[in-house]
Amino acid sequence: QVQLVESGGGLVQAGGSLRLSCAASGRAFSTYAMGWFRQAPGKERELVAGISRSGGITYYADSVKGRFTISRDNAKNTVYLQINSLKPEDTAVYYCAADSGDTVVTGINDYDYWGQGTQVTVSS
């Protein structure tokens, strides 16, 4: 098993930036592909970015391409999500999730472990 704890959320003005972190503990972090999801009020949870075990493969939802960057540091057991040019529509709870496969998967049900989420609120 792996335990995931997100941090870095907050209230930011439109156009600003945030870096979310997800610290993992438990089973070897490097054996998991990782994803960042978000869920806005009244909407379904959606994958915004994913990264393979080694970090060599990444995935981004069309809505965030060019603004979000996912990365990982396996030595620190941490995955990051750099969010730039924030928009009010980015307001959501952001979750990190772990999948025991070796590449990026996009289905919510593909992920085995979830963090508790961190709130990102973007004011206009």
Side-chain angles (χ1 to χ4, degrees), residues 26-64:
R27 182 183 162 190
F29 176 69
S30 62
T31 65
Y32 292 94
M34 300 297 296
W36 281 99
F37 288 76
R38 68 184 179 187
Q39 187 166 20
K43 295 189 177 181
E44 293 187 351
R45 193 170 297 189
E46 62 172 349
L47 178 68
V48 295
I51 191 166
S52 61
R53 288 175 175 176
S54 67
I57 300 172
T58 56
Y59 164 88
Y60 297 96
D62 288 343
S63 59
V64 307

Side-chain angles (χ1 to χ4, degrees), residues 30-109:
S30 62
T31 65
Y32 292 94
M34 300 297 296
W36 281 99
F37 288 76
R38 68 184 179 187
Q39 187 166 20
K43 295 189 177 181
E44 293 187 351
R45 193 170 297 189
E46 62 172 349
L47 178 68
V48 295
I51 191 166
S52 61
R53 288 175 175 176
S54 67
I57 300 172
T58 56
Y59 164 88
Y60 297 96
D62 288 343
S63 59
V64 307
K65 281 180 181 176
R67 299 189 300 119
F68 288 23
T69 303
I70 189 171
S71 62
R72 67 189 296 162
D73 185 338
N74 286 343
K76 294 183 178 180
N77 293 345
T78 303
V79 62
Y80 304 97
L81 186 68
Q82 177 68 41
I83 310 175
N84 298 327
S85 302
L86 276 157
K87 304 176 181 180
E89 51 264 42
D90 294 319
T91 295
V93 178
Y94 283 72
Y95 300 89
C96 71
D99 167 56
S100 57
D102 59 357
T103 190
V104 179
V105 291
T106 59
I108 189 170
N109 293 325

